[in-house]
Amino acid sequence: KYFVHISFYRENALHKADLLIQMANQQFQRKEIEYIAYFEALESALKIQLDYLENVKLYNQTAIELESYID
């Protein structure tokens, strides 16, 4: 389950989060968006990244738990 989620983030979501940050930075520097929209874009991108890390953590915890059954 977690492996599938991690794969999705690596193949799709993390790239989109990076693009969102890049675009928000560019738009903010060119004064095309207000700081509120800028921070909302950053918040969305960071949420994606944090969700990915949470899935990695859960995957690793599950692997450690399963290893304890093998030993």
Side-chain angles (χ1 to χ4, degrees):
K1 169 182 162 182
Y2 298 120
F3 181 78
V4 172
H5 290 155
I6 291 169
S7 296
F8 167 76
Y9 280 101
R10 287 183 178 165
E11 293 170 9
N12 299 303
L14 290 176
H15 178 67
K16 290 179 183 178
D18 289 340
L19 288 176
L20 187 58
I21 291 170
Q22 289 174 0
M23 291 180 65
N25 284 332
Q26 291 171 358
Q27 289 174 332
F28 187 70
Q29 288 173 354
R30 292 189 301 242
K31 299 183 186 333
E32 295 174 355
I33 59 173
E34 299 282 329
Y35 72 92
I36 293 174
Y38 173 67
F39 285 120
E40 286 174 346
L42 292 181
E43 181 182 31
S44 295
L46 292 175
K47 180 170 180 358
I48 292 169
Q49 293 172 340
L50 285 172
D51 289 346
Y52 164 73
L53 292 174
E54 178 68 20
N55 276 280
V56 170
K57 180 187 92 171
L58 293 171
Y59 176 83
N60 288 335
Q61 287 176 336
T62 302
I64 290 168
E65 186 177 321
L66 291 173
E67 282 183 3
S68 71
Y69 292 124
I70 294 172
D71 293 337

